[in-house]
Amino acid sequence: MPTYTLRINGTAHDVQADADDTLLSVLRDDLDLVGARYGCGEGQCGSCTVLVDNRAMRSCVAKVSAVAKAQIVTIEGLATNGVLHPVQQAFLEVEAFQCGYCTSGMVMATVALLRTTPSPTDADIARVLDRNVCRCGTHTRIVRAVHLAAERLRAVTPSAGADGRLGEPALPQVAQEAQR
Amino acid sequence: MTARHDETFEVERYELSSPPTWRFALERRTFLAIFATVGSGLLVAATQARGQESGRTGSQGSAPTDVKAWVHVSEDGRITGYTGKTEIGQNIRTSLAQAIADELHVPLDRVSLVMADTDLVPFDQGTFGSLSTPRMAPVLARAAATAREMLLDRAAAQLGAPRASLTCDAGQITGGGRNVGFGDLVKGRQLTGVVPADAPLMPRSAWKVRGTPAPKVDGRRFVTGEHRYTPDLTRPGMLHGRMLRPPGYTGTLTTVDDSGARGMDGVTVVRDGTFAGVVASSARLARRAASAIKAEWTVPDGLPTATTLYDHLKATASTAAGGRGSTPTQTGDPAKARTAAARTFAATYRIPYIAHVPLEPRAAVAEWEGDRLTVWTGTQRPFGVRSELATAFRIPEDRVRVIVPDTGSAYGGKHTGEQAVEAARLAKAVNRPVKVVYSRPEEFSFGYLRPAGVIEIAAAVDAEGRLTAWEFDNWNSGGAGLATPYDVPNVRTQFHAAESPLRQGSYRGLASTANHHAREMHMDAIARALGVDAVEYRLRHLTNDRMRAVLQAAARGAGWPKPSVDGRGLGIACGTDKGSYIATAAEVSRTDNVLKVERLVVAYECGAIVNPDGLRHQVEGAIIQGLGGALFEAITFANGAITNGNMAKYRVPRFKDVPSIELLLLDRPDLPSVGAGETPIVCVAPAIGSAARTFGAVADALPVRFA
C-alpha cells in the first residue's frame, strides 16, 4: 500500500492508503480528524467539505492520490490559538445550526466562498451553498451568518489584495513546502 | 429479511410504546447508587406534574414511583438535570436548562444536563410527539423549585434568619446580614427530596431565563467540529463493522462464499443464522471485506411497486383494530346527508413514502465487559433500544447501558436500534468494541420511512354551499390529523391499517401531513367549485377561535387574496395538531411545468412562547422540511429494491428551494406551551397545492404536480 504525505492544517502526515481511498476516510479513520462528517459518500450533501488549496472540496469523493500535493484545511484547522475564524464566529452568534451535523461543511464552504466573493448576494450564497444540505431547515439563518461573516472579513481588510481577494486570517499551511 | 408487517414497526408505533405496567418504588440504595456516580449534595426526584407523591420529605421520606427526572445540586454549587430526553437538534439541552436555572435563580451557565444515558437518568419513553417542552420542562422546573425550597429551609437554619426574610440569587442565599452558597448548604451530605404535589412554580410573569433567547449550550463545539456524534466516536481497541446486505430492501440469503473476506488480514467474518457481517481494523478494510463476500439472495416475485402500492394498501386493509382512528368516528348520518345534498365532491389522494434523511446516518459503538454491554448510538428512544438489546442478547436490561451523544437529527426516524444490535453482535464475536456506521444507501433501505397512504374523501354541500357531510378514510398513513376541524353536521372518519411493503414508522408530524393535505386540498376544491373565497369558505365552517385567528393572520399577512407579485398564484391552508394551530399561505410561480415556491406566510400559535428564538428555529425547520414532501420527495421502488435510495436521486430541500418565509408567531401567555417541532409542517403542501391550482389542475397526490 503506498504512502502519501498529506499537508493538513499546517502539519505533514504520512498515511498508508490506496490511491482511490477517499480523503474523508483518511481524515476520519487514520488521523481522527472527524470534524468533516460522513453524510452521503457521493459528494451530494457537503457535510465533508474541506479546503484543498483554498477551494471547497467534497472530501468523500476526493481521492487521496489527487490531493497529495495540496494544502488541506479542515474545520479543526480554522480557529487560531482558540480564536474562532470569523465565519465560525458568525455561525455561532447567529446560531446558524440546529443539530450541527452540516455545520463543519457549511463553514468550510463559506470560507471558500468569501475568498472569491467578499460581498456575496443572497443569490451568490444560494448558488454556492446549494451543494450543501442542511436537513434541519436552518437555511435562512445560514444566509444571515454568511452575510455577517462577510461584513466582519471586509472590516478586517477593507481593500482587496493583489489577487483580488480580500484578506482573512491566514489559514495554516506547511511552511517548509514550496507553494505550487 | 422479508417484507414485514411487524408490530414493532407499526404505523404510529410511538403510540403503541406504552410505559411499563408496574413501577416499583425507588429504593434508598438506588439513590445511593446515583450519589456514588454524581457525588454528594442534594438530589431531587421529580415525577410527572399530575398524580405526585405528597409532601416534601427530605432525606427520610418514602421514595416516589414514577420518577421522570432528577435535579442534583453539587458541593461546588453546580446544578445538573438528569433526563432521558435526547438532543437531536431541537435544542432542548438549552431550553430544559433554562427551566432549571429560572427556578433556582441561577445564571444559565451554572446548569448542565445529563441526557439519555440509561444508567444515569430515569426511564423515559423517548423524544417524540412534541412532548419535551410541555411535559419534561415542567417536571424539571418542579424539581428545581423543590430543590430551591429545600435549600431555603436549610439556609434559614444555618443563617439563623427567618425563612421569609431570605433572598436567593445567583446560587447564594442571603438573610440576617449573612449569606451562604448552595454548595456549602449541601457539603458532605447526601440529601434527597421528592417533588410535592403543590411544588410552587414561578408564575410566567416572574420568568427571567425562560421566555428569553439563550445561546445554544455547547454551541462552540459545533462550529469547531469538536462535538463527536456517534459516527465520530472511538474506543480503545475499537474495530469497524459492516453488514452484509441484500441488494434491495428485502431478500433471503441463499448462498454465501466468504473465503475472499476470510483471507484478508485483520478481517473477521461473523455469521449467526441469517445475520452476516464483517469486522476489520479499519472502516475502509471493512468495506472492502464486505464487498469481497459473494452472496446470493432471492427476492420474492410480485412485490408491490411504487405504482401498484396504492391498490396494494387498499387490498390489504385490515379490519382488525390498528391503533388510533381505526374505529370509525361518526356523527349524524353522512350517507343519508349525501343523498339529500345539492352537490357532492369526492376524490382519492395518494401519498408516497418519504425518507427522513437525517444527515447523521444510523451508527453505533458497542462494547462488552463480560456480560455487560454499553452502546453509544443516536436514537430517540434510549430505553427502547436498551430493551431491544436486552431481548436480542437474552440478558437483563440492567446489564445494558445505552448512551446517546447529541445526535445529528432524527425527525422521527431514529426510534429503533437495529444498528445497535448489529454493532453489539459483531463486538461480541470479536470481543472488542465495534463501530457500525450505515452508508447513505443503507440508511435509505434499512432504516424506515414515513408511511405511504391512500385517502378517500366524500363531501356534500347543501344549496347554500354549506358542508352537510364529510367522509374521510385513510389507508395506512395513520390517525394523526384525521378529524376535520370544520363544523359539519354529518361526519365519518376512519383509519384502515394495511400491509406496508416497505418498513415504515414515525416521522415529523407523521400522518397529520397526509391528512391535512387531503382535507385542505379538498376544502380548496369545494370553495373553488362553489365560487367562494377559500378563506371565507373555511371561516364559515370554523368556530374554534384559535384556528380562526391563525387563518386570518396568515391571510392578512399574505395580502390575501392577491399575490404580492402579479402572475403568481396564492394559496392557503390551515390546521391543528398536538394542541397548536397553524395557517400557511404560499405564493408560487410556474415556469413550464416547474413550480417554484416564492413566498410563505405562516401564522402559528402554540400557547405561551418559552424561547422565541428556539421556536422560530423549530417552526422554520418544519416548514422547510415540508417543502421537500410538497415539491419532490417520494421513494420509488420495484422488485424489492428502493430505486432512488441515495442523495443524488432523492432530492431534499436545498438553498435555492427556500423561499422568503414570514413567520407570524401568536403568543398566548394565558395558555400552556405545547411542543412546536412538528405541526408547522402540516400545511406547507396543501398551501402550495392550492396556489398551484391558479395555473391549472393539480393531481390529487403528493408531491404537488400538475394533472
Side-chain angles (χ1 to χ4, degrees):
Chain A
M1 202 176 279
T3 300
Y4 293 92
T5 303
L6 298 182
R7 295 151 183 84
I8 302 167
N9 301 334
T11 307
H13 297 271
D14 288 342
V15 294
Q16 288 201 317
D18 282 341
D20 63 351
D21 281 337
T22 66
L23 173 58
L24 180 66
S25 76
V26 169
L27 291 174
R28 294 180 56 83
D29 304 341
D30 297 57
L31 304 174
D32 199 31
L33 291 168
V34 294
R37 317 292 185 189
Y38 169 85
C40 69
E42 47 179 324
Q44 288 287 332
C45 79
S47 304
C48 66
T49 305
V50 300
L51 300 185
V52 175
D53 289 337
N54 288 320
R55 293 171 53 195
M57 188 175 275
R58 312 283 171 247
S59 64
C60 74
V61 289
K63 305 294 183 211
V64 170
S65 50
V67 298
K69 291 192 165 51
Q71 295 284 355
I72 298 162
V73 180
T74 71
I75 189 83
E76 289 90 347
L78 221 47
T80 42
N81 303 319
V83 178
L84 296 181
H85 185 282
V87 173
Q88 292 174 306
Q89 186 62 38
F91 270 67
L92 183 60
E93 285 177 29
V94 175
E95 206 167 288
F97 50 92
Q98 292 185 37
C99 81
Y101 202 79
C102 72
T103 306
S104 298
M106 289 287 178
V107 167
M108 299 313 282
T110 301
V111 170
L113 165 68
L114 297 182
R115 285 186 64 83
T116 57
T117 314
S119 302
T121 62
D122 282 359
D124 292 332
I125 296 168
R127 180 174 42 79
V128 169
L129 292 188
D130 213 42
R131 300 191 300 157
N132 287 59
V133 169
C134 166
R135 191 59 176 140
C136 294
T138 318
H139 302 71
T140 56
R141 289 201 196 205
I142 293 171
V143 171
R144 256 163 60 202
V146 175
H147 284 303
L148 178 62
E151 196 180 296
R152 298 253 174 89
L153 282 166
R154 288 196 302 268
V156 173
T157 312
S159 63
D163 59 355
R165 289 174 173 173
L166 288 180
E168 63 174 285
L171 295 175
Q173 305 209 320
V174 180
Q176 69 272 26
E177 291 289 327
Q179 298 296 295
R180 300 200 281 168
Chain B
M1 255 182 72
T2 53
R4 56 179 135 192
H5 183 64
D6 183 337
E7 194 174 79
T8 317
F9 306 120
E10 182 56 86
V11 180
E12 299 204 296
R13 48 169 302 120
Y14 58 76
E15 295 184 342
L16 300 174
S17 63
S18 55
T21 309
W22 305 105
R23 297 188 204 89
F24 302 110
L26 278 174
E27 295 175 20
R28 173 74 184 155
R29 64 189 169 86
T30 307
F31 278 104
L32 292 176
I34 295 166
F35 277 124
T37 311
V38 304
S40 294
L42 167 64
L43 186 65
V44 174
T47 57
Q48 197 56 265
R50 275 185 286 277
Q52 308 217 6
E53 303 293 307
S54 58
R56 187 161 75 242
T57 58
S59 58
Q60 300 305 312
S62 66
T65 56
D66 185 16
V67 173
K68 299 289 184 192
W70 317 106
V71 166
H72 179 250
V73 181
S74 74
E75 294 182 321
D76 63 3
R78 283 205 57 83
I79 293 136
T80 310
Y82 291 79
T83 169
K85 296 296 176 199
T86 59
E87 173 60 54
I88 47 181
Q90 79 286 44
N91 207 20
I92 56 172
R93 187 177 286 286
T94 306
S95 64
L96 295 178
Q98 282 183 292
I100 296 171
D102 230 1
E103 294 290 346
L104 273 158
H105 305 298
V106 294
L108 185 57
D109 64 9
R110 202 77 70 84
V111 180
S112 53
L113 285 184
V114 170
M115 301 176 75
D117 177 335
T118 60
D119 268 15
L120 297 180
V121 305
F123 174 83
D124 186 87
Q125 285 192 65
T127 306
F128 48 71
S130 295
L131 293 172
S132 299
T133 296
R135 298 265 180 88
M136 185 51 72
V139 167
L140 284 165
R142 278 169 202 277
T146 302
R148 177 194 69 218
E149 294 302 310
M150 290 178 70
L151 291 165
L152 283 167
D153 287 347
R154 295 186 68 78
Q158 192 156 329
L159 297 171
R163 196 179 181 288
S165 71
L166 300 179
T167 58
C168 177
D169 185 49
Q172 296 282 323
I173 295 173
T174 307
R178 293 190 299 150
N179 69 72
V180 60
F182 286 177
D184 291 328
L185 287 169
V186 302
K187 194 148 280 175
R189 305 293 300 268
Q190 292 189 343
L191 304 167
T192 59
V194 174
V195 175
D198 59 350
L201 277 186
M202 292 164 69
R204 191 176 190 275
S205 56
W207 287 5
K208 287 194 174 132
V209 186
R210 279 167 293 188
T212 61
K216 184 177 170 77
V217 169
D218 294 339
R220 191 186 162 100
R221 295 176 58 77
F222 293 89
V223 298
T224 57
E226 283 170 82
H227 175 68
R228 288 195 178 234
Y229 301 93
T230 302
D232 311 323
L233 295 177
T234 58
R235 296 289 299 165
M238 186 183 81
L239 300 175
H240 301 262
R242 192 146 192 96
M243 293 295 297
L244 187 67
R245 305 281 193 195
Y249 61 83
T250 186
T252 308
L253 193 56
T254 49
T255 64
V256 185
D257 173 5
D258 58 19
S259 55
R262 285 186 192 278
M264 293 177 162
D265 267 355
V267 171
T268 306
V269 177
V270 182
R271 304 271 305 273
D272 184 350
T274 55
F275 178 99
V278 297
V279 180
S281 50
S282 77
R284 292 204 292 277
L285 184 56
R287 276 197 294 277
R288 267 183 214 126
S291 57
I293 296 177
K294 297 190 184 79
E296 286 182 20
W297 308 79
T298 54
V299 179
D301 288 333
L303 291 174
T305 69
T307 315
T308 63
L309 166 69
Y310 304 104
D311 290 339
H312 175 84
L313 293 177
K314 283 192 73 175
T316 60
S318 159
T319 50
R324 177 161 61 162
S326 59
T327 309
T329 304
Q330 185 160 337
T331 326
D333 188 344
K336 193 172 159 198
R338 205 140 38 87
T339 56
R343 288 181 75 173
T344 57
F345 300 89
T348 302
Y349 298 85
R350 299 179 312 282
I351 312 294
Y353 292 105
I354 68 173
H356 309 79
V357 199
L359 274 192
E360 178 192 325
R362 283 170 162 66
V365 176
E367 183 171 305
W368 291 87
E369 273 177 279
D371 66 351
R372 280 194 60 87
L373 171 63
T374 302
V375 177
W376 291 259
T377 191
T379 177
Q380 295 170 259
R381 294 177 65 240
F383 287 90
V385 171
R386 182 178 72 166
S387 174
E388 279 185 57
L389 288 163
T391 305
F393 296 98
R394 301 182 184 92
I395 53 176
E397 288 192 356
D398 63 8
R399 293 199 198 134
V400 182
R401 179 180 190 181
V402 173
I403 302 170
V404 182
D406 290 9
T407 296
S409 76
Y411 320 116
K414 291 179 177 168
H415 285 197
T416 54
E418 47 281 329
Q419 70 287 358
V421 173
E422 289 158 4
R425 181 64 190 86
L426 295 172
K428 197 175 169 73
V430 294
N431 203 23
R432 297 263 290 273
V434 169
K435 175 160 75 178
V436 168
V437 181
Y438 276 30
S439 69
R440 181 56 56 185
E442 284 183 295
E443 179 67 31
F444 270 99
S445 289
F446 304 102
Y448 58 83
L449 303 167
R450 187 178 79 181
V454 180
I455 299 166
E456 286 184 0
I457 308 179
V461 300
D462 62 18
E464 282 73 51
R466 194 164 176 89
L467 281 169
T468 54
W470 183 264
E471 292 179 84
F472 190 104
D473 289 276
N474 178 314
W475 284 265
N476 193 60
S477 298
L482 203 61
T484 178
Y486 299 108
D487 186 17
V488 190
N490 302 288
V491 179
R492 186 186 57 79
T493 57
Q494 189 170 7
F495 163 66
H496 308 265
E499 184 198 280
S500 172
L502 300 184
R503 192 178 180 214
Q504 61 183 18
S506 190
Y507 188 98
R508 194 175 206 164
L510 196 56
S512 202
T513 299
N515 288 329
H516 272 76
H517 183 69
R519 187 190 73 227
E520 291 299 296
M521 287 298 281
H522 212 65
M523 290 296 287
D524 182 82
I526 297 170
R528 279 171 197 274
L530 297 174
V532 184
D533 176 88
V535 172
E536 168 60 25
Y537 191 68
R538 285 179 171 86
L539 289 173
R540 282 183 200 168
H541 294 88
L542 280 176
T543 49
N544 185 306
D545 286 342
R546 297 173 72 183
M547 187 80 117
R548 291 175 67 92
V550 289
L551 178 60
Q552 287 167 315
R556 209 166 34 244
W560 185 269
K562 282 196 180 318
S564 64
V565 173
D566 281 347
R568 289 182 183 171
L570 180 63
I572 201 161
C574 62
T576 176
D577 195 22
K578 298 188 170 70
S580 66
Y581 293 82
I582 183 89
T584 304
E587 225 173 86
V588 307
S589 62
R590 178 185 186 172
T591 312
D592 299 324
N593 243 1
V594 178
L595 272 180
K596 182 165 169 43
V597 181
E598 305 281 0
R599 177 181 180 229
L600 292 173
V601 178
V602 178
Y604 185 55
E605 189 257 286
C606 58
I609 295 173
V610 181
N611 179 346
D613 205 42
L615 178 60
R616 286 184 172 271
H617 245 334
Q618 283 300 300
V619 174
E620 223 170 86
I623 291 166
I624 291 172
Q625 190 151 44
L627 284 173
L631 294 174
F632 30 72
E633 288 184 48
I635 289 287
T636 57
F637 59 102
N639 302 322
I642 288 173
T643 50
N644 61 348
N646 61 33
M647 289 187 77
K649 291 182 182 156
Y650 188 93
R651 183 172 166 202
V652 296
R654 291 173 181 264
F655 278 86
K656 284 185 189 168
D657 301 315
V658 175
S660 132
I661 299 174
E662 292 152 54
L663 274 189
L664 307 164
L665 298 177
L666 311 187
D667 191 12
R668 287 291 299 268
D670 54 315
L671 294 172
S673 310
V674 300
E678 301 191 76
T679 302
I681 200 173
V682 301
C683 284
V684 179
I688 291 170
S690 154
R693 281 179 171 152
T694 308
F695 303 109
V698 168
D700 295 330
L702 282 176
V704 175
R705 292 279 179 273
F706 291 109

